[in-house]
Amino acid sequence: MIKRIEKTKIMHRVVVNNGTAYLGGIIADDVGVGMGGQVTQICGKLDQVLAMAGSDKTKLLSAQLFITDMSLKDEMNEAWLAWLDGNDLPARATIGVADLGKPEIKIEVVVTAAV
């Protein structure tokens, strides 16, 4: 059975099927901060959305981090690792992109997690 949670205008925030939660892309609410601040905000939102799906960050399976400036990757990694404890790291890809819709948006994160 497919469960869809928190419908937006263009998608559901999370779709759960067969014990797996698929989260849509998440960006920071306050994009006026730097990469580290945006990642910290996103991780907080991930905690909330994962909880809605009956999961948490220890059950992350994969993560795709889309960033507009690869020179900020170290700052991104620092904030990412501050959120995770280092033992339950997901498979991950960091993908450089030219644009995420607004110049201030530095990162968008998509994750998949077990439920």
Side-chain angles (χ1 to χ4, degrees):
M1 181 170 144
I2 298 173
K3 180 179 178 184
R4 299 175 195 281
I5 302 168
E6 196 175 305
K7 185 177 182 183
T8 72
K9 188 189 282 190
I10 60 167
M11 65 180 197
H12 280 84
R13 184 75 50 213
V14 60
V15 176
V16 179
N17 185 47
N18 235 6
T20 304
Y22 304 90
L23 279 67
I26 296 180
I27 62 170
D29 290 325
D30 177 6
V31 295
V33 298
M35 174 64 84
Q38 288 191 28
V39 172
T40 299
Q41 288 178 54
I42 289 167
C43 291
K45 289 173 79 172
L46 285 171
D47 283 331
Q48 294 171 350
V49 177
L50 287 166
M52 283 191 267
S55 189
D56 63 62
K57 64 186 175 185
T58 67
K59 297 177 184 173
L60 288 176
L61 302 172
S62 68
Q64 299 170 336
L65 289 72
F66 299 90
I67 65 174
T68 59
D69 185 346
M70 282 293 192
S71 73
L72 300 175
K73 190 173 178 182
D74 287 342
E75 184 180 349
M76 177 199 71
N77 283 333
E78 184 177 329
W80 179 254
L81 291 172
W83 177 59
L84 296 170
D85 69 6
N87 293 318
D88 300 310
L89 299 172
R92 191 187 100 174
T94 302
I95 303 107
V97 297
D99 184 353
L100 287 169
K102 293 181 182 177
E104 305 85 22
I105 300 173
K106 298 181 181 329
I107 181 168
E108 181 172 355
V109 177
V110 177
V111 300
T112 303
V115 175

